[in-house]
Amino acid sequence: MRSGRIRVLAGLLAGLLAMAVWAEPKYDPGASDSEIRIGQTMPYTGPASAYGTIGRAQAAYFQMINERGGINGRRVTLITLDDGYSPEKTIDQTRRLIEQHQVLAIFQSLGTAANTAIQRYLNSKKIPQLFVSTGASKWGDPAKFPWTMGWQPSYHVESLVYAKFIVRTKPDAKIAVLYQNDEYGKDYLLNLKAGLGARAGMVIKEASYDVTDDSVDSQIVALRASGADTLFIFATPKFAAQAIAGTYDIGWKPLQFVNNVSSSITSVLQPAGLDKAVDLITSAYLKEPTDPQWSKDKALKDWLEWMKRYYPQGDLADTYNVYGFAAAQTLAYVLKQCGDDLTRENVMRQASAIRNLELPLLLPGIRLNTSATDYFPIKQLQLARFDGKRWVPFGDVLTATSK
């Protein structure tokens, strides 16, 4: 009888010890009982510096989170370094983040070329390259790069939406394309043609530019000379603004599209001239802060209050600040789901298990979903037209399957 009780007690003790071991927090470099260190690179200087506000907004977001007690009781330290939109600098700064600052993960580093430059390095070290700030189709390839995940709708999805719209509304269009002469611009161009399918011959003229160019004036003149009546601008903000202004200034009036990542009213349309951007079409998945339809929306009201308190130097009309906030919310969600298992493996496990996540600043009907084989959380878009003051969404929320 006594031996039986001893065995029961021994079993209970073993179970309690196992539970204690199981409940023990797990950490990889960059995480501890008190802190979670995250790294990123942003183009605070250089030809794409308009995007720098994204990193500033995200730093401000985590300042708010920390004032409210952090995530699961841990302070989040976002170390954000300038890479000047130069892949070589991205490599140096990322190595600094990993080797010197020992961050847990890289979050939202911006640019297709920049992220390509560090992708193999991070995957070889099994370090999350999480929610990259670029929509290149390559970020959704978990079989080859299981540590790299996109966030925004892919350029494939965006281009497919444009192509379907053109085929449906202007099947006899003569299309000209201005694109950045790198993987970013070529991704858009190739996927536009793929979306047009048998009608790819509608693209009658292409012109590229390099980020080191001073302007795209000569390219716009050449595109107009082709006789095209439809223009796609696949560019970064500086050159998108030049293209919009240049098209207007030479008296060319094509049906005009600009890619989502260069649709900021503050960083693109105002420098171009708002009057010169009237009837421009883009795609959207975030609430536009200048759109009066959201004037009573609680989420946007909360965002405006947050901007005034935590990022007062930021522009309230700049959609890039909405983008930065929403992406940071997604990271906060993933880190919270990690609980006390703050290993890099668990970060990716939680990031690839998002189910119908609604972020308040996304357009109604758009939700985030991921899986072990689906690394693009956002796959829905809505077209919008600029009326001289704001982007006006039209049509339905569209869903396409990313590569």
Side-chain angles (χ1 to χ4, degrees), residues 165-398:
F165 177 76
I166 284 291
V167 170
R168 186 176 72 251
T169 63
K170 197 172 182 180
D172 58 348
K174 296 178 181 178
I175 300 172
V177 181
L178 175 73
Y179 67 97
Q180 189 161 292
N181 188 27
D182 60 11
E183 194 171 6
Y184 154 76
K186 292 174 182 177
D187 200 349
Y188 269 113
L189 176 62
L190 291 174
N191 281 299
L192 176 66
K193 290 181 175 179
L196 292 171
R199 295 175 180 264
M202 295 167 73
V203 179
I204 64 170
K205 183 68 175 178
E206 306 162 12
S208 66
Y209 70 88
D210 294 316
V211 294
T212 54
D213 289 349
D214 292 326
S215 78
V216 292
D217 291 347
S218 61
Q219 288 93 329
I220 293 299
V221 171
L223 291 171
R224 180 195 184 187
S226 70
D229 57 17
T230 302
L231 173 63
F232 280 91
I233 299 170
F234 297 144
T236 42
K238 170 186 172 182
F239 298 102
Q242 290 181 359
I244 293 164
T247 299
Y248 182 92
D249 290 344
I250 63 173
W252 187 21
K253 297 180 180 180
L255 175 62
Q256 217 172 154
F257 296 77
V258 66
N259 50 331
N260 171 271
V261 295
S262 288
S263 63
S264 167
I265 292 176
T266 300
S267 301
V268 179
L269 304 192
Q270 285 181 352
L274 296 182
D275 58 319
K276 299 178 181 182
V278 174
D279 290 332
L280 192 66
I281 295 174
T282 192
S283 60
Y285 56 96
L286 295 163
K287 293 174 182 175
E288 173 63 52
T290 60
D291 190 337
Q293 74 169 306
W294 308 120
S295 61
K296 297 182 179 180
D297 180 73
K298 184 181 184 304
L300 206 58
K301 281 184 176 181
D302 290 346
W303 176 83
L304 288 168
E305 289 303 312
W306 168 81
M307 283 285 291
K308 292 173 184 177
R309 178 174 177 181
Y310 291 97
Y311 189 24
Q313 69 273 34
D315 195 320
L316 296 177
D318 196 339
T319 310
Y320 296 150
N321 292 324
V322 177
Y323 172 98
F325 187 98
Q329 277 189 314
T330 312
L331 176 62
Y333 170 83
V334 168
L335 293 177
K336 185 176 181 179
Q337 294 299 109
C338 285
D340 289 335
D341 184 353
L342 285 164
T343 58
R344 288 161 173 165
E345 183 178 359
N346 194 41
V347 168
M348 291 307 300
R349 185 183 301 119
Q350 300 304 325
S352 59
I354 297 173
R355 299 289 182 270
N356 292 317
L357 176 63
E358 293 187 52
L359 299 180
L361 292 174
L362 293 179
L363 291 175
I366 296 180
R367 295 177 176 84
L368 279 68
N369 283 281
T370 60
S371 71
T373 58
D374 177 5
Y375 268 31
F376 276 108
I378 304 175
K379 292 172 279 293
Q380 298 160 295
L381 288 165
Q382 186 172 22
L383 292 177
R385 183 178 283 106
F386 188 65
D387 70 357
K389 295 181 180 179
R390 64 186 180 95
W391 288 108
V392 182
F394 65 92
D396 298 326
V397 171
L398 304 171

Side-chain angles (χ1 to χ4, degrees), residues 65-198:
I65 289 294
N66 292 334
E67 286 186 8
R68 296 179 179 181
I71 295 176
N72 296 328
R74 298 175 178 87
R75 175 183 179 82
V76 179
T77 301
L78 177 64
I79 304 171
T80 178
L81 304 180
D82 181 22
D83 66 4
Y85 204 60
S86 164
E88 291 77 15
K89 291 182 180 178
T90 307
I91 294 171
D92 292 341
Q93 296 288 50
T94 301
R95 286 187 179 276
R96 179 181 168 193
L97 289 166
I98 300 302
E99 297 166 13
Q100 180 178 329
H101 295 286
Q102 294 192 324
V103 297
L104 178 67
I106 297 295
F107 162 69
Q108 273 270 293
S109 286
L110 189 139
T112 299
N115 279 285
T116 299
I118 59 176
Q119 187 177 26
R120 291 187 181 278
Y121 167 72
L122 293 174
N123 276 260
S124 69
K125 288 186 168 291
K126 298 183 178 180
I127 296 171
Q129 185 181 13
L130 196 57
F131 304 141
V132 294
S133 189
T134 153
S137 306
K138 66 195 301 177
W139 310 129
D141 188 4
K144 189 173 182 181
F145 294 106
W147 298 88
T148 302
M149 180 177 285
W151 186 74
Q152 66 208 59
S154 73
Y155 302 152
H156 167 72
V157 167
E158 186 180 354
S159 298
L160 188 63
V161 166
Y162 295 144
K164 287 185 174 181
F165 177 76
I166 284 291
V167 170
R168 186 176 72 251
T169 63
K170 197 172 182 180
D172 58 348
K174 296 178 181 178
I175 300 172
V177 181
L178 175 73
Y179 67 97
Q180 189 161 292
N181 188 27
D182 60 11
E183 194 171 6
Y184 154 76
K186 292 174 182 177
D187 200 349
Y188 269 113
L189 176 62
L190 291 174
N191 281 299
L192 176 66
K193 290 181 175 179
L196 292 171

